[in-house]
Structure formats: structure tokens, C-alpha cells
Amino acid sequence: MESTAFFEKKISLNPVTIFNKVSRTVKVEDLLMEKLREKLEDKCSEHGFVLPGTLKFISKSVGYFEAGRYTSDSVFYVKAEGKVLYPADGIHVTGEVIRKNKMGLYVIHRNAIRIQVPRDLHLGDNSEEFDSIEPGDFIEVELKKSLFQINDPYILTNGLFIKKVGEAETSVEAEAEAEAEAEAATEAPTVSEAPKEAAESDAESESESDAESEADAESDADADADADADAEADAEKAAN
């Protein structure tokens, strides 16, 4: 269900943003990826739900100005790849029950897929187990038909109850998801980290320049002292 998708989007940058943010440590690519993440991550796209922190930069076009718009914005076409969730019919997932009523169960999976589990489909042998489920429990569900549109905050789907999942299985899956998100976060740094690095580099350069200025001042003082000594020696010779 989780796969890698490729995106090509049109991103524009205004002159104020470029002038104020582009520096030695912040490149135009960083600004483009920041806007692309705001546009795609943690919502639905044409390829499915884009997982946050997974977008990676591939390439960009040369910036240009659109004719007839008179906005001064530089327009780029950016290519990137990211991880998406696209539920298919028959896939089994584990989710948390967040709501229960006479109609059935409402389950959430990875904060990306909302699953409706109708009670009418579970009136047979497993009806007692189905009725024993309470909000906060984790269950395994078989996904059926899904529905979503671009920019939706989640994917809505129907499902069939399979079984109740124990805490051990839930913790193992949660740890695997947390590790995957941590790896994606470390591989995709944000632009906000750049000012900190710039401040550190500026502080180092300032300390180096101060040390050089102190050394120059000491050498100038020594030179002045030598010149004064030579002047006094010449004055004594002239007096004699």
C-alpha cells in the first residue's frame, strides 16, 4: 500500500522571498522544496496520501517570468519524489477505533486513512467479538472501496472487521512507523535549520577576524615602539 511516487509541480517565488532568504546556506532549491512540502505533504494527491517528511528534491527547471501576469514572480517546475499511501481492495491494515455507534466502527490508520466498518456486515458468527470492540482498541481491517480527492486531509474507505489486535502487535507496528518517519525526517532537512548554521559560521568568522585584528594591533604597537627607540637613539647621537 505504501509506495514511492514522483511529482512535477509548478512553484513560484516572489522577489521579496528570494532576496530575504537566499544566502550562502539557503539555496533556491530549499525554498522550492519548502513550498512544495506545504503544497503536497500530509494531504491527498493524485497518487494517494503523501506521508509527511518524505519528499525529496530531484531537479528543477530554469526560472522564468510568465508573460502578461506582471507579478515579478519567478516560476519553476520542480520534480520530487515521496512516499504515498494508496489503499487497494483487499489490503489488511491495523488501525485504532476512535468512534463506535449503532452504525458500526470508525477506525483511523496512520492519521491518513479513515475506515468505516459497518455493523450490518458483521451480524454472523463474529458479531459478539465485533460488539465487544470499544473506542481505543486496535483492530485489523480488510479495506474495500476508497474515496478521496486532491487536497483532502485523509482517505475515506470502507472495511471489514477481521480481528482484534493485541498490544504487542500494535507496539511493533508503531515502532516500525516511528523509525520510518524518523529516517525520512533526517533525510529531508528544512530551511529553518539554515539560519542556525549561518549564525554559527558568522560567529566563527567574527572570532577569527577579531583574533587577526588583535594580532595586527600588537604588531603595530611593536613597530611603533621600535620606531620610538630609533628616534631617541638618533636624538642622543645628534646631541653628542
Side-chain angles (χ1 to χ4, degrees):
M1 185 173 63
E2 180 178 334
S3 60
T4 301
F6 295 90
F7 302 91
E8 183 176 356
K9 297 295 181 180
K10 182 179 177 181
I11 304 294
S12 61
L13 296 176
N14 59 59
V16 177
T17 302
I18 296 175
F19 180 78
N20 291 334
K21 293 188 176 182
V22 173
S23 63
R24 292 178 299 173
T25 56
V26 180
K27 301 179 181 179
V28 175
E29 289 83 353
D30 300 328
L31 300 179
L32 293 173
M33 284 303 299
E34 184 180 30
K35 297 196 69 173
L36 189 64
R37 292 188 182 100
E38 294 176 357
K39 187 175 182 179
L40 292 179
E41 285 187 349
D42 208 16
K43 62 185 69 175
C44 294
S45 67
E46 63 271 21
H47 301 295
F49 185 88
V50 182
L51 295 175
T54 60
L55 282 180
K56 298 179 183 178
F57 176 80
I58 296 178
S59 64
K60 69 174 182 66
S61 67
V62 177
Y64 69 96
F65 301 100
E66 291 184 319
R69 293 185 62 89
Y70 308 107
T71 60
S72 300
D73 291 350
S74 301
V75 180
F76 301 83
Y77 283 93
V78 181
K79 289 184 179 181
E81 65 173 305
K83 298 292 184 180
V84 298
L85 292 179
Y86 191 93
D89 189 3
I91 295 293
H92 287 209
V93 299
T94 301
E96 181 183 3
V97 179
I98 60 175
R99 195 176 304 134
K100 178 184 179 181
N101 54 27
K102 295 181 180 179
M103 298 295 295
L105 305 175
Y106 196 61
V107 184
I108 185 171
H109 172 70
R110 297 181 67 175
N111 202 29
I113 303 176
R114 307 287 178 93
I115 310 166
Q116 297 175 340
V117 185
R119 187 177 185 278
D120 294 342
L121 300 179
H122 304 84
L123 299 177
D125 298 333
N126 61 348
S127 60
E128 294 183 0
E129 185 180 5
F130 184 86
D131 293 336
S132 66
I133 301 298
E134 297 294 336
D137 293 340
F138 287 84
I139 63 174
E140 182 178 337
V141 181
E142 180 182 343
L143 301 183
K144 293 301 180 181
K145 186 177 181 180
S146 302
L147 177 67
F148 68 91
Q149 295 180 348
I150 295 177
N151 292 330
D152 281 351
Y154 55 82
I155 298 175
L156 183 62
T157 181
N158 295 322
L160 295 176
F161 170 73
I162 301 300
K163 65 178 181 179
K164 184 177 180 179
V165 179
E167 295 182 358
E169 299 179 20
T170 305
S171 61
V172 170
E173 184 175 352
E175 289 177 1
E177 293 176 0
E179 290 178 359
E181 292 178 357
E183 291 178 359
T186 54
E187 292 176 357
T190 58
V191 179
S192 60
E193 299 174 357
K196 192 179 296 183
E197 297 177 357
E200 293 176 356
S201 62
D202 292 341
E204 292 178 358
S205 61
E206 288 178 1
S207 61
E208 292 177 358
S209 60
D210 292 340
E212 292 177 357
S213 60
E214 291 177 359
D216 293 339
E218 292 178 356
S219 62
D220 293 340
D222 294 339
D224 293 339
D226 294 339
D228 293 338
D230 294 339
E232 290 178 358
D234 292 341
E236 291 178 357
K237 288 179 181 182
N240 293 331

